[in-house]
Amino acid sequence: DSGVTQTPKHLITATGQRVTLRCSPRSGDLSVYWYQQSLDQGLQFLIQYYNGEERAKGNILERFSAQQFPDLHSELNLSSLELGDSALYFCASSVDSGRPSTIYFGEGSWLTVV
Amino acid sequence: AQSVAQPEDQVNVAEGNPLTVKCTYSVSGNPYLFWYVQYPNRGLQFLLKYITGDNLVKGSYGFEAEFNKSQTSFHLKKPSALVSDSALYFCAVKREYGNKLVFGAGTILRVKS
């Protein structure tokens, strides 16, 4: 158990809908990362927050957005969903940002868009 | 920009034999290098990391990795493979003082008894 908690574990929704994925980082970790894992794209970095502020942005679509709240939990919002958004979405956390601290991953949220 | 190459989609090894999973990287400046393992329907589990110092890094479950700066490689090794080591292995690199951890495509390790 990495200590990173993600909900829901599985989600099935229809095209055009909007979903929210939730993440609680490890106790004491200030950085939260979101990754997307799909068969064709592999593990893609989406976005990182550090202590409530956006710190780095990767291949995140404009239809997707994220935020980190004062209690450090984070949410990833996916809207106008398409079939191609079906993937495993990981949240990860680390103590700090640019330093070489280990990044720990949650179990992921399986999203299926039908 | 940083990148990671894992040249083998799959590595097959017999139980008890040594195993190596290859990884090469490209990054400006000093790299921070990581190995993660993913079991079916599970999240990524941290195995080990190289930050600085000794080029041979020891990690969880008997795994180790050797950092080679001249060859820009960070191969994962284990002296004696177990069937339970069968999983998907990812190498990842982070630029010094950078934020983004970039992953390779992953290598499936199959250990046969």
Side-chain angles (χ1 to χ4, degrees):
Chain A
D1 183 5
S2 67
V4 179
T5 305
Q6 290 187 246
T7 57
K9 292 193 185 314
H10 296 90
L11 190 57
I12 301 174
T13 190
T15 54
Q17 294 298 304
R18 172 190 170 93
V19 299
T20 297
L21 308 181
R22 195 179 189 280
C23 170
S24 294
R26 285 165 25 111
S27 176
D29 284 359
L30 299 178
S31 270
V32 169
Y33 309 77
W34 286 98
Y35 281 81
Q36 179 195 58
Q37 185 179 30
S38 60
L39 282 175
D40 53 344
Q41 297 288 330
L43 265 167
Q44 295 287 317
F45 168 73
L46 296 179
I47 198 163
Q48 180 211 358
Y49 280 83
Y50 176 76
N51 204 20
E53 294 187 3
E54 182 182 305
R55 184 58 63 93
K57 214 167 189 177
N59 302 322
I60 188 166
L61 299 173
E62 285 191 11
R63 300 183 284 109
F64 297 178
S65 65
Q67 53 184 328
Q68 185 179 26
F69 296 87
D71 67 351
L72 301 178
H73 92 271
S74 178
E75 292 181 355
L76 178 67
N77 300 296
L78 314 174
S79 61
S80 302
L81 285 167
E82 302 174 359
L83 295 177
D85 297 327
S86 296
L88 180 56
Y89 291 85
F90 283 114
C91 174
S93 73
S94 67
V95 169
D96 45 38
S97 182
R99 301 177 65 80
S101 55
T102 300
I103 298 176
Y104 292 93
F105 284 75
E107 295 281 300
S109 292
W110 280 99
L111 173 65
T112 302
V113 182
V114 298
Chain B
Q2 62 258 47
S3 65
V4 174
Q6 293 182 242
E8 301 152 318
D9 291 336
Q10 184 167 317
V11 170
N12 298 309
V13 64
E15 188 175 32
N17 283 0
L19 69 88
T20 298
V21 182
K22 296 179 180 178
C23 168
T24 59
Y25 67 90
S26 174
V27 68
S28 57
N30 294 321
Y32 299 149
L33 294 157
F34 301 78
W35 276 100
Y36 287 83
V37 59
Q38 185 178 25
Y39 295 97
N41 302 316
R42 300 296 302 276
L44 294 168
Q45 294 180 30
F46 168 74
L47 279 179
L48 51 80
K49 67 181 179 184
Y50 171 83
I51 304 302
T52 187
D54 194 348
N55 289 340
L56 185 64
V57 178
K58 294 189 184 296
S60 305
Y61 312 120
F63 284 94
E64 57 189 30
E66 187 167 11
F67 171 65
N68 187 318
K69 189 171 184 177
S70 62
Q71 296 186 3
T72 61
S73 67
F74 189 55
H75 300 331
L76 182 69
K77 301 181 180 184
K78 188 174 183 182
S80 178
L82 299 172
V83 172
S84 57
D85 292 330
S86 299
L88 179 58
Y89 289 80
F90 289 97
C91 180
V93 66
K94 194 178 185 186
R95 184 173 51 85
E96 188 178 24
Y97 305 120
N99 297 298
K100 188 168 65 172
L101 187 61
V102 173
F103 285 85
T107 299
I108 297 171
L109 173 66
R110 295 202 192 280
V111 182
K112 296 185 178 179
S113 58

